[in-house]
Amino acid sequence: MSRTAGRWPPSPRTALGALGIGVAAIAIVWSGPLWGVLGAFALGSLYVVGTAPLAVAFGQVALVAAGPSSPGIVAAVEVGLFLALLAAALSAPAPRTAAATVAVTVPLFGGLTWLALSSWQVGPMAVALVLGCGFATAAYLLHRYLLVSVGIVSRDQLQSSPTNE
Amino acid sequence: MRLTRRFWLTAGVALCLVLGGWLLDSTPLFVAAAGLLGWILAMQAVFVRSVTRIERALSVDQSLDRSRVTTGTETTFRLAAAIDGASPHFPVTIRANVPVAAERASATEPLVTLARTQAESSITVPLTWETVGDHTVDEATVSVRDAAGLFVQSFDAGSTPSVTVEAPSLGPVHVGQSGERLLRGVGEHESRGSQGGLSAEEIRKYVPGDAMKYVDWKATARLNEPHVREYEAESNRQTVLVVDHRTTMGDGPAGRTKLDHLRAVASAIRQRADADRDPIGYLTVGDSGVTGTMSPAARPEAYESCHHHLTDLSPTDSEAGTQSPATTRGGGPVTVTGGDPTLTEMDRVLLSYQDRQRTLLPDEQLYNGFRSARHEIRNADLVVICSDDTDPGELRETVGLARRNATEVVVFLTPSVAFEDDLLAATDDAYERYRRFDQFRRELCEMDAVTAYEVAPPDRIESLLSRSASDSRRGEVA
């Protein structure tokens, strides 16, 4: 990590992200249990103090813990958390492209995982392996593509030494 | 691409969700983990795309205002970065990789940051080069980080200016008379010493610097052009360098002082003596009196000693030398009354005539030093005096004294006017002072067996003479 310019900037927070977290928090409170208020407060705090992914993860855990019976509440929480992730992408230089990428990738990964577990009856371990390996492979390919794009690794080097960075 | 702690934190959270989902057999936790991993990949893809665009659109220019400097010289380094197009981009940091040999005069970092909507920026940093050699400023390191703080990518870009750092050098030295450059090499000589014999002779054209007594008048009349007769002989001429390095010899810009110029001349004479195996000796005089002396000798160690002593010479401090002791030729130390403010000019002249064999003159270290020097030094075949025109009276007396003892005296003089910083600003007065200097030099030349040369930077002499020429033209027009 480069420390040349001092500390990292705070995680980007936008009105859309705050709206998403707000919707998710209200839905958790609405789901019934008394501690839902505390959960909603923690969700908001994590978003403000921490990062959007941390808040999303906590919101997801809170949703599972609350166990709402109404699909509407589940949908509200999921949409709110999704908006928080989407809002983080809007801080990129090309916000439309970034938002579109997130809007495609997140539901795609989430949807495929849900389908694999619920409809295709794939075991959790297999799903976890596929998720981990798929993520690592895709991330590494993007990494290598960037190295070649900026000229750090030439195509000749790439062919002669595939592991060379 | 480097992954930041925030990336690992996010990935760790996703892993925790997977573990939680597996332990609790909870599909929503798996889904959340997959969504987070998908989000990371999406952010990475956006980052890769943006960095690729930045790399294509970014232009980094590094430049130095000079490509050749001497050590200790300050140069200006400029780092400029610009991104084509006005579209926003991730924050970009461009850091110049300044060589270790360069020292930054200020605390300013050679760093430029382009904010999200900033298209260009530049910075200027003064650098001082301390190490001799060829140095290149490598390509600047460009660092890009995404807004979420998950990734950083660095790559090199920009021009690579280079600089050649040299040790301070004197440059060309003008040695001549009345602005005319001496065409003969410094230190060359015919056999005019008390020893050695003639073996051959030839006639050649006269060049400035040749003594009049070597002019072959018959050949000159026959050829209608001045010619001199050269004698080739086995030389065994004893040479003594008398070098003045008092305070005023430090006048001039660093590395190009009076002393630096005279040192170059003295070194050339030493080299010539070494090549001809002529015995060489020296006598150096500072503000406190004699600082070094060696009788003429033709041994290799004598040439080495002379070389090292000349190289180590530096202008002395006048504050330390006003009450300096000196020694008489035959007796113990004599305290001269140089600091006595009650002495008039007449007193000083009378003092010089009073018991000339024993008395030394106040504040005339060059004269006193030569007078109190050993017999072999004073009676050398050739005495080379290197000094300036600060005290013409003392120099005249010293040359006279040297002439009475030595066979031949050569004086190398640095005109003070040619070493002043504001020469260009005060050229009218400067030329007049140079004219007086040249008159004094001519006076010395009129003494029997004495030749006096001026030693100065060529550009200064040219400047003085060109001013004279322009003044003459103005006079003709008027």
Side-chain angles (χ1 to χ4, degrees):
Chain A
M1 180 170 66
S2 174
R3 295 178 184 277
T4 54
R7 299 182 59 188
W8 285 107
S11 183
R13 285 179 289 274
T14 62
L16 182 65
L19 175 68
I21 291 295
V23 168
I26 290 169
I28 287 171
V29 172
W30 198 263
S31 63
L34 189 59
W35 57 263
V37 179
L38 290 174
F41 180 75
L43 179 62
S45 300
L46 266 178
Y47 181 70
V48 172
V49 178
T51 64
L54 272 181
V56 168
F58 179 81
Q60 204 68 31
V61 172
L63 178 66
V64 172
S69 55
S70 165
I73 290 178
V74 174
V77 172
E78 295 292 357
V79 167
L81 296 179
F82 174 72
L83 285 178
L85 289 179
L86 193 64
L90 291 176
S91 58
R96 289 182 184 174
T97 309
T101 310
V102 168
V104 169
T105 320
V106 172
L108 182 69
F109 273 59
L112 285 176
T113 304
W114 183 78
L115 280 174
L117 288 169
S118 303
S119 303
W120 302 336
Q121 301 298 318
V122 181
M125 185 61 80
V127 170
L129 274 176
V130 170
L131 263 182
C133 292
F135 170 77
T137 305
Y140 183 72
L141 287 176
L142 283 171
H143 164 71
R144 296 296 294 184
Y145 172 77
L146 179 60
L147 291 184
V148 175
S149 294
V150 299
I152 295 174
V153 175
S154 66
R155 293 181 189 281
D156 294 340
Q157 283 178 299
L158 205 61
Q159 286 167 0
S160 61
S161 175
T163 54
N164 185 25
E165 188 166 311
Chain B
M1 185 189 301
R2 283 173 291 165
L3 307 175
T4 68
R5 279 184 296 182
R6 192 173 286 180
F7 169 88
W8 290 114
L9 176 68
T10 308
V13 166
L15 181 64
C16 288
L17 287 174
V18 169
L19 286 175
W22 182 52
L23 289 173
L24 300 173
D25 195 18
S26 170
T27 301
L29 291 185
F30 270 106
V31 172
L36 274 185
L37 292 177
W39 180 80
I40 292 173
L41 279 181
M43 298 301 281
Q44 186 179 0
V46 170
F47 178 71
V48 167
R49 183 171 176 268
S50 294
V51 172
T52 305
R53 285 191 171 186
I54 287 171
E55 196 269 336
R56 286 174 189 158
L58 180 70
S59 62
V60 178
D61 180 52
Q62 300 184 107
S63 61
L64 284 162
D65 63 337
R66 297 167 69 180
S67 60
R68 187 174 287 271
V69 296
T70 55
T71 51
T73 307
E74 187 174 290
T75 57
T76 303
F77 173 73
R78 184 172 184 271
L79 172 64
I83 289 184
D84 293 338
S87 58
H89 50 82
F90 282 130
V92 181
T93 303
I94 301 108
R95 176 184 289 275
N97 296 306
V98 176
V100 182
E103 191 175 302
R104 289 200 301 273
S106 65
T108 310
E109 290 277 332
L111 182 76
V112 160
T113 301
L114 294 175
R116 187 181 162 85
T117 55
Q118 196 173 2
E120 59 183 27
S121 180
S122 66
I123 189 171
T124 303
V125 180
L127 296 178
T128 305
W129 301 87
E130 300 292 352
T131 308
V132 172
D134 294 328
H135 304 288
T136 301
V137 180
D138 290 336
E139 288 182 310
T141 302
V142 180
S143 297
V144 186
R145 64 185 182 198
D146 70 324
L150 300 174
F151 312 102
V152 176
Q153 180 61 52
S154 298
F155 57 90
D156 295 335
S159 49
T160 56
S162 60
V163 63
T164 301
V165 183
E166 299 169 329
S169 62
L170 187 60
V173 177
H174 166 87
V175 180
Q177 294 175 322
S178 303
E180 291 287 327
R181 195 161 62 90
L182 173 66
L183 297 180
R184 296 172 58 191
V186 174
E188 289 179 9
H189 66 87
E190 303 85 5
S191 175
R192 280 177 278 169
S194 56
Q195 299 162 31
L198 301 178
S199 62
E201 65 180 82
E202 64 173 331
I203 293 173
R204 62 162 174 79
K205 282 184 181 178
Y206 170 88
V207 293
D210 286 332
M212 290 301 288
K213 66 180 180 182
Y214 295 108
V215 173
D216 187 319
W217 297 109
K218 288 182 181 177
T220 301
R222 190 171 63 250
L223 300 169
N224 204 24
E225 221 175 344
H227 278 69
V228 293
R229 185 175 296 274
E230 279 195 326
Y231 298 90
E232 277 189 22
E234 291 179 8
S235 168
N236 191 18
R237 184 176 64 170
Q238 289 189 335
T239 304
V240 167
L241 298 168
V242 180
V243 182
D244 179 1
H245 65 110
R246 287 175 288 182
T247 307
T248 56
M249 301 307 292
D251 294 347
R256 302 194 69 190
T257 62
K258 289 177 182 175
L259 182 60
D260 292 322
H261 283 75
L262 291 176
R263 193 199 329 264
V265 172
S267 295
I269 292 170
R270 183 205 63 80
Q271 284 177 0
R272 190 71 197 185
D274 190 356
D276 294 343
R277 310 313 294 175
D278 285 342
I280 188 98
Y282 61 79
L283 174 76
T284 55
V285 180
D287 286 287
S288 58
V290 175
T291 57
T293 179
M294 184 184 78
S295 296
R299 297 186 303 275
E301 52 268 31
Y303 300 114
E304 280 295 303
S305 169
C306 185
H307 169 66
H308 291 309
H309 191 68
L310 287 174
T311 306
D312 293 342
L313 277 185
S314 60
T316 54
D317 184 7
S318 61
E319 297 295 320
T322 51
Q323 290 289 337
S324 60
T327 54
T328 57
R329 204 158 32 139
V334 172
T335 302
V336 294
T337 53
D340 188 350
T342 60
L343 277 179
T344 63
E345 191 63 30
M346 179 62 78
D347 293 335
R348 289 161 56 89
V349 173
L350 290 175
L351 270 172
S352 68
Y353 287 99
Q354 180 192 12
D355 191 8
R356 289 186 70 107
Q357 293 302 310
R358 290 194 71 253
T359 307
L360 303 178
L361 301 180
D363 272 350
E364 295 196 355
Q365 288 83 1
L366 186 64
Y367 177 85
N368 294 340
F370 189 77
R371 188 178 183 83
S372 59
R374 283 196 290 269
H375 175 268
E376 304 84 57
I377 289 178
R378 282 184 289 110
N379 290 65
D381 295 323
L382 172 66
V383 172
V384 178
I385 299 176
C386 300
S387 187
D388 66 353
D389 59 347
T390 304
D391 190 345
E394 181 197 17
L395 188 61
R396 192 180 291 113
E397 288 168 3
T398 308
V399 172
L401 181 65
R403 178 60 198 96
R404 285 195 291 276
N405 293 277
T407 309
E408 184 183 359
V409 179
V410 176
V411 185
F412 291 101
L413 280 176
T414 49
S416 295
V417 64
F419 289 86
E420 290 175 355
D421 294 337
D422 54 351
L423 174 65
L424 293 177
T427 314
D428 290 334
D429 177 56
Y431 179 69
E432 179 55 30
R433 290 172 59 196
Y434 173 72
R435 202 185 58 75
R436 285 201 297 271
F437 162 83
D438 195 53
Q439 197 172 358
F440 170 62
R441 187 195 58 74
R442 286 168 189 267
E443 280 176 30
L444 294 179
C445 279
E446 285 170 5
M447 299 168 90
D448 183 37
V450 175
T451 314
Y453 298 104
E454 63 198 5
V455 179
D459 54 334
R460 293 297 181 104
I461 294 295
E462 283 171 17
S463 173
L464 287 164
L465 294 177
S466 64
R467 184 67 182 186
S468 160
S470 63
D471 286 349
S472 301
R473 280 197 297 273
R474 278 206 301 271
E476 288 169 8
V477 171

